[in-house]
Amino acid sequence: MSDAVKLNDEEENLELLEGFTLLDDEFMTIVFDRNTEATELLLNIILGRNDMEVTEVVAQREYKNPVTGGRSIKLDIYAKGSDGKVYDIEVQNENAGADVRRARFHSSMLDTKMLKEKQKFKELHESYVIFITKNDYMKMGLPLYHVERTIQESGALFGDGAHIIYVNGSYKNDSDPVGKLMHDFRCTSAVDMFYQELAKSVRHFKETEGGRNQMSKAMEERINRERIDNSFEHIKNLMEAMKMTAEQAMSILKIPDEDKAVLSKRF
């Protein structure tokens, strides 16, 4: 890659970075990754608490499906509380990404990792799947939507410990905590934010050289992962359609040598 092309890529990344908000998962995941302070703030507000103690926060944690050919997922943010409860925090810019069955699937995948062999089912920790959506997905004008299983005949909660919450990212009300939080999620600049726990991290990644470099590197890595994923799908489709080997398919598609080494491990 020439110096000129590299410089253009860096300038393009910086331009994208300036427009990012916490409703963009590329930016949100790097801001919250291992950031217990910001995660505690977010969970306290959404859950209506003031005593959250988060012991672990990881961005882009992969949950592999144990079924061969089954769909796996990557959680935007995985968090665990000191009480053992687990949280999956997702941001969705498009309504299609916030489908209610997706929330159900995420909830079920969280359960698969919680129990070891011979553990009792009652030891299953409570889980929360939280979808922060750019639009008002439920279209009721509310800031939060709590989804719980109930016993239809009595209306009582089933109490299985699985919770789903949709957060309306378009909600505007600067007089309550959820409204302030969503205001901050829509901000492109730290100076406009209410919560310093968020502003501090946003300022670091947008305004310091070290933070911008880290963000630029993360964006490049994501682009590379997406390129590899797309190539893998094209290769797999060609192999199935033309009954050829992975090597033959990669040759026809003119896959670069550096990508071949990565892709070959997937077959």
Side-chain angles (χ1 to χ4, degrees):
M1 181 182 292
S2 69
D3 291 341
V5 171
K6 186 176 181 180
L7 182 61
N8 286 337
D9 287 343
E10 290 175 354
E11 290 175 348
E12 184 177 346
N13 284 343
L14 288 175
E15 186 176 341
L16 286 171
L17 178 58
E18 288 179 3
F20 274 155
T21 72
L22 291 173
L23 286 171
D24 294 295
D25 62 354
E26 298 99 325
F27 189 54
M28 181 265 201
T29 53
I30 198 168
V31 166
F32 278 85
D33 187 28
R34 307 183 193 283
N35 189 340
T36 56
E37 183 182 34
T39 305
E40 287 174 352
L41 168 79
L42 182 146
L43 291 175
N44 271 326
I45 292 172
I46 292 175
L47 300 177
R49 295 174 55 174
N50 60 13
D51 60 349
M52 279 295 305
E53 184 179 343
V54 173
T55 59
E56 183 182 6
V57 186
V58 181
Q60 296 295 315
R61 170 168 284 188
E62 186 172 14
Y63 272 57
K64 289 188 176 294
N65 197 314
V67 178
T68 302
R71 181 163 185 171
S72 299
I73 59 172
K74 278 188 178 178
L75 311 184
D76 283 349
I77 297 294
Y78 167 90
K80 187 174 183 179
S82 58
D83 53 6
K85 296 177 182 178
V86 298
Y87 305 86
D88 168 22
I89 306 164
E90 303 286 323
V91 291
Q92 299 294 338
N93 265 295
E94 303 295 335
N95 283 351
D99 187 278
V100 295
R101 286 177 175 78
R102 180 174 187 170
R104 170 187 164 187
F105 188 71
H106 276 236
S107 181
S108 67
M109 290 293 281
L110 286 180
D111 288 344
T112 63
K113 301 292 184 181
M114 278 200 230
L115 290 183
K116 296 180 180 178
E117 187 178 4
K118 296 184 180 180
Q119 270 191 285
K120 296 180 180 179
F121 289 112
K122 67 180 181 180
E123 296 180 66
L124 198 66
H125 290 295
E126 287 189 54
S127 68
Y128 290 79
V129 173
I130 300 171
F131 274 19
I132 302 172
T133 60
K134 182 178 180 179
N135 305 311
D136 183 4
Y137 184 78
M138 298 295 179
K139 299 180 180 178
M140 300 179 196
L142 300 174
L144 300 171
Y145 303 95
H146 295 80
V147 182
E148 303 282 345
R149 290 190 178 95
T150 61
I151 301 170
Q152 289 188 354
E153 288 74 13
S154 65
L157 289 175
F158 185 49
D160 62 349
H163 313 279
I164 295 172
I165 301 174
Y166 278 73
V167 185
N168 177 4
S170 67
Y171 178 68
K172 297 179 180 179
N173 186 338
D174 293 349
S175 64
D176 75 66
V178 176
K180 289 181 179 179
L181 181 67
M182 290 303 97
H183 167 274
D184 286 4
F185 262 67
R186 294 189 298 268
C187 286
T188 58
S189 174
V191 72
D192 298 322
M193 291 182 159
F194 286 107
Y195 293 109
Q196 289 307 304
E197 295 91 335
L198 299 178
K200 181 170 61 176
S201 294
V202 168
R203 187 175 296 111
H204 169 72
F205 288 111
K206 286 201 172 196
E207 298 179 18
T208 70
E209 182 178 359
R212 288 196 299 266
N213 288 341
Q214 188 178 347
M215 190 66 208
S216 180
K217 181 180 179 181
M219 291 166 65
E220 289 175 5
E221 289 175 350
R222 179 171 182 143
I223 291 170
N224 288 336
R225 286 197 303 272
E226 290 176 349
R227 186 189 72 252
I228 292 294
D229 288 343
N230 289 335
S231 295
F232 177 75
E233 289 301 319
H234 291 317
I235 294 165
K236 187 171 67 172
N237 292 337
L238 190 58
M239 289 171 63
E240 292 173 355
M242 304 301 293
K243 308 300 181 188
M244 58 178 57
T245 66
E247 187 64 35
Q248 290 171 327
M250 286 191 282
S251 178
I252 289 174
L253 293 171
K254 294 180 169 46
I255 301 296
D257 289 339
E258 59 269 26
D259 288 355
K260 283 182 181 181
V262 177
L263 288 162
S264 295
K265 296 177 182 179
R266 293 197 180 188
F267 293 99

